Amino acid sequence: MEYSHNDAELIQQPIGYWSWAAYKAVVDRTRAALAGIGTTQPQWWVLAQVARADTARTRDEVSRLLRNYLDTGSDTMESEIDSTITRGWITEDSEGRLTITAEGRAFYDKAAALQDELWAERHAGVSDEEYVTTLKVLQRFIHNTGGRAWHQ
């Protein structure tokens, strides 16, 4: 890979631009790949939360957990939960508990395999040590600017 600048020039580059450019590239690629198999990124989040849960999660729990992720918003998450129900991937009981269906499990497995492929694509040529260092540096930037990340 050829880099845009040498090290002396990179030290002068704005983190805001490069973190945004990385975010945009990763999110655009992920969303396009998920669209290619017929889903949206928020629908994937809903499906993953329900499929991976040890006990049934309620609609409110899933919506509350995901509504601020990537600035999605509560209205969008409610709509995306409804879409996963309409598609037959999850069901909702009278108490709002969400359960994955057989069709949902099959689709989840397909989408999870795609996510694994995307992970490998993104991490090509990046060591685990470099990845961890990158995340620690980004967390330090968030802390230093008074920000708060979703996972904190």
Side-chain angles (χ1 to χ4, degrees):
M1 181 191 148
E2 190 172 316
Y3 294 98
S4 62
H5 300 79
N6 64 40
D7 288 358
E9 293 168 333
L10 279 174
I11 198 71
Q12 301 299 318
Q13 292 292 304
I15 185 63
Y17 169 77
W18 288 105
S19 59
W20 168 83
Y23 161 85
K24 184 152 178 42
V26 169
V27 170
D28 287 354
R29 173 69 176 115
T30 300
R31 289 180 177 172
L34 288 169
I37 62 168
T39 194
T40 66
Q41 191 177 35
Q43 287 170 9
W44 158 252
W45 299 334
V46 171
L47 195 57
Q49 288 299 316
V50 174
R52 296 174 182 164
D54 293 333
T55 60
R57 289 204 161 143
T58 66
R59 169 188 281 269
D60 289 342
E61 289 171 328
V62 172
S63 181
R64 191 172 44 254
L65 179 66
L66 298 172
R67 73 174 142 230
N68 293 321
Y69 194 54
L70 300 184
D71 297 325
T72 302
S74 59
D75 290 343
T76 298
M77 283 317 306
E78 287 298 321
S79 175
E80 296 290 16
I81 291 169
D82 290 341
S83 292
T84 61
I85 293 169
T86 299
R87 297 183 90 166
W89 293 340
I90 61 174
T91 60
E92 182 177 15
D93 69 15
S94 61
E95 295 177 5
R97 287 186 301 257
L98 304 174
T99 306
I100 195 164
T101 65
E103 182 181 350
R105 176 60 66 185
F107 189 80
Y108 167 80
D109 290 344
K110 178 179 178 178
L114 174 61
Q115 291 286 24
D116 289 344
E117 291 170 19
L118 292 169
W119 175 272
E121 178 184 277
R122 285 189 302 268
H123 288 248
V126 178
S127 71
D128 289 348
E129 181 181 55
E130 290 172 313
Y131 182 69
V132 169
T133 297
T134 299
L135 293 186
K136 286 180 177 180
V137 168
L138 290 171
Q139 287 179 357
R140 175 56 54 190
F141 277 117
I142 293 165
H143 173 79
N144 287 350
T145 58
R148 181 161 164 72
W150 178 72
H151 290 305
Q152 292 178 319

